[in-house]
Amino acid sequence: MKKINIAFFASHGGSNFQSIVENIQSGNIYANASLLISNNSDCYAFERAKSLGVPFKHISSAQFEDSLEFQNALLALLDAYKIDLIVLAGYMRKIPQSIIQKYKNRILNIHPALLPKYGGQGMYGMFVHKAVHESGDAVSGATVHIVSEEYDEGRILKQESVAIDSEDTPESIAEKVLAIEHKIYSVTIKEIAEGKIKLD
Ligand code: GRF
């Protein structure tokens, strides 16, 4: 069985990135953490990559004349590292069409709610947890899905829920959901690497 090469995309903290890389490095996931890409040169995820020994690159559309040049540079980078799977972990930019087409069914995202609820444009981070809190829902959770052209609409690969109680705040919901994210993102990638989840 071939080890899959994973590129992570993150914009900020990178706690999902770290938890998946730890699972790779401990031998729990049969894959290579080949590269971390961020649009944000100041992201804390880069600090984590340094400590974990994962190569990292800052690449942003602002560095290029136009979107096509940016897309070509991104594609060249993914090619150079022979990337099989792209894992979005808090990446705050839309993935360009050309990348979605070239890596069809090979780009994963994690969303901090039980999709299709609380998905779509503008639904990210604390906006999601505030909406869940205001709705009075008794559960929230996390969803791992394939990235397609539309926000949060690709095939769902895994979900897990967590109970919300009356004392919960948006912040405490976020904490509970993040713990679920760390769990199900690694499990999903492990199952992909072992061929138990088929992406085609
Ligand atoms: C997570 O809540 C994830 O659902 C969302 O962005 C957040 C990233 O957190 N897509 P971190 O950067 O992995 O800590």
Side-chain angles (χ1 to χ4, degrees):
M1 197 166 60
K2 179 191 170 286
K3 257 191 184 182
I4 56 168
N5 295 331
I6 302 179
F8 298 87
F9 284 43
S11 295
H12 297 293
S15 72
N16 277 288
F17 159 70
Q18 175 161 346
S19 88
I20 297 162
V21 172
E22 283 172 354
N23 273 293
I24 290 173
Q25 293 181 344
S26 70
N28 189 29
I29 300 176
Y30 191 67
N32 297 310
S34 302
L35 179 66
L36 168 68
I37 287 174
S38 183
N39 59 302
N40 173 8
S41 59
D42 277 341
C43 69
Y44 187 64
F46 280 167
E47 299 305 315
R48 297 185 196 262
K50 274 181 216 162
S51 316
L52 293 160
V54 176
F56 57 93
K57 303 267 180 213
H58 170 225
I59 176 161
S60 138
S61 56
Q63 299 161 326
F64 300 89
E65 287 278 310
D66 56 37
S67 163
L68 195 64
E69 267 193 31
F70 167 61
Q71 292 179 39
N72 287 338
L74 206 47
L75 283 168
L77 193 56
L78 295 169
D79 232 39
Y81 281 82
K82 299 190 170 26
I83 296 304
D84 302 300
L85 184 72
I86 295 173
V87 170
L88 307 185
Y91 187 64
M92 303 307 286
R93 291 282 181 276
K94 198 156 197 220
I95 299 296
Q97 286 285 337
S98 57
I99 312 274
I100 295 183
Q101 273 156 19
K102 170 129 195 241
Y103 289 86
K104 193 164 191 293
N105 296 335
R106 295 273 182 284
I107 309 177
L108 309 183
N109 185 40
I110 189 147
H111 186 78
L114 295 171
L115 290 174
K117 290 183 92 175
Y118 307 107
Q121 194 155 12
M123 279 305 235
Y124 60 90
M126 287 310 291
F127 292 109
V128 174
H129 304 302
K130 280 185 186 140
V132 170
H133 184 250
E134 275 162 28
S135 74
D137 283 2
V139 290
S140 190
T143 305
V144 180
H145 66 95
I146 290 176
V147 173
S148 64
E149 271 85 356
E150 301 306 321
Y151 274 110
D152 302 329
E153 283 192 4
R155 179 182 145 210
I156 291 176
L157 301 178
K158 207 168 280 293
Q159 289 189 306
E160 191 173 312
S161 58
V162 64
I164 298 174
D165 49 57
S166 55
E167 281 101 68
D168 270 317
T169 60
E171 289 71 22
S172 68
I173 296 172
E175 232 173 87
K176 285 181 175 178
V177 169
L178 192 62
I180 302 270
E181 291 181 38
H182 291 168
K183 193 170 125 197
I184 68 168
Y185 220 174
S186 280
V187 171
T188 308
I189 294 165
K190 179 180 170 64
E191 290 178 4
I192 290 169
E194 292 171 0
K196 290 181 186 148
I197 294 180
K198 305 257 180 261
L199 293 181
D200 293 315

